[in-house]
Amino acid sequence: MPDRIYLIGFMGSGKTSHGKQIARMMSYEFRDMDTWIEERTGKTVSQIFKEDGEPYFRQKETEAIMALSQLEKVVIATGGGAPCFGANLELMKATGLVVYLQLTPAALLSRLKDSPTERPLLAGKSEEEMLETITGMLEQREPLYNKAHMIIDGLEGVNERVVNAIQRRIS
Ligand code: S3P
């Protein structure tokens, strides 16, 4: 197994914060896919959705995975939709350990409703509408997320036990 970890999971599941922590604990580098795309395009994710459309963003995600899969000793936080389009999930599974950060719709809502990060797929929705959207999208996406090599309970978060389990899988 290559020394590369992909964190997947729904928006707001903590892929960036937990990813940074895993990277710190393993002395790995950390990369965020959305940031990679924003740096390469010079636009925010919201701008890309508005100006270029979602299919263009999904194309950029595949390019991001292809580029980031060249790095070693790295933890990569993916966008929530990344494993759900094209051959992205297969590409990630072939080039690293894929870890799903799992949370329930209610837990995701409580993290997302006060999040400062702009998320075009949830923009302008009331809490009730957000819960409905999260529940529906998670139902569609979870069968794919569940194909990860490992599942972490998002409420437990990252600790020695979790990092040891990851280390066992990649050594
Ligand atoms: C998306 C998740 C976002 C970002 C974009 C689309 C999705 O990333 O890539 O807004 O389809 O779930 P986060 O999961 O980091 O919020």
Side-chain angles (χ1 to χ4, degrees):
M1 179 67 73
D3 46 8
R4 194 175 296 114
I5 297 157
Y6 296 96
L7 278 186
I8 66 169
F10 204 78
M11 295 175 261
S13 54
K15 297 176 297 266
T16 302
S17 54
H18 289 122
K20 283 183 179 164
Q21 202 180 336
I22 294 171
R24 223 176 7 248
M25 289 172 80
M26 293 181 63
S27 298
Y28 272 30
E29 295 216 31
F30 173 79
R31 289 285 190 285
D32 182 87
M33 252 176 74
D34 284 343
T35 306
W36 188 94
I37 294 170
E38 289 180 336
E39 284 170 1
R40 296 301 174 297
T41 58
K43 295 181 183 189
T44 65
V45 170
S46 291
Q47 271 176 316
I48 301 173
F49 266 74
K50 256 188 232 127
E51 295 169 14
D52 308 294
E54 184 174 344
Y56 178 81
F57 176 76
R58 299 302 173 194
Q59 203 179 304
K60 291 289 144 198
E61 282 192 313
T62 301
E63 287 173 26
I65 296 169
M66 295 207 290
L68 294 168
S69 66
Q70 306 298 310
L71 303 177
E72 287 168 9
K73 293 199 182 305
V74 64
V75 178
I76 301 159
T78 66
C84 312
F85 292 86
N88 294 348
L89 181 58
E90 287 70 23
L91 184 56
M92 291 192 270
K93 286 187 75 171
T95 55
L97 182 77
V98 178
V99 178
Y100 170 31
L101 256 176
Q102 188 175 45
L103 278 179
T104 62
L108 290 166
L109 175 69
S110 79
R111 294 174 53 100
L112 284 164
K113 66 181 167 55
D114 303 317
S115 166
T117 307
E118 273 188 53
R119 292 187 166 93
L121 298 172
L122 300 173
K125 293 189 191 298
S126 67
E127 255 183 57
E128 204 180 315
E129 290 166 337
M130 260 170 98
L131 184 59
E132 211 172 290
T133 305
I134 294 167
T135 307
M137 285 177 73
L138 192 61
E139 225 169 80
Q140 287 188 336
R141 289 178 170 187
E142 204 156 40
L144 291 160
Y145 292 158
N146 280 332
K147 290 186 178 174
H149 295 116
M150 251 181 86
I151 299 181
I152 295 181
D153 175 354
L155 287 183
E156 177 183 355
V158 173
N159 51 37
E160 294 262 316
R161 193 194 68 76
V162 167
V163 171
N164 285 341
I166 291 175
Q167 250 152 353
R168 268 198 302 277
R169 292 296 297 261
I170 56 177
S171 57

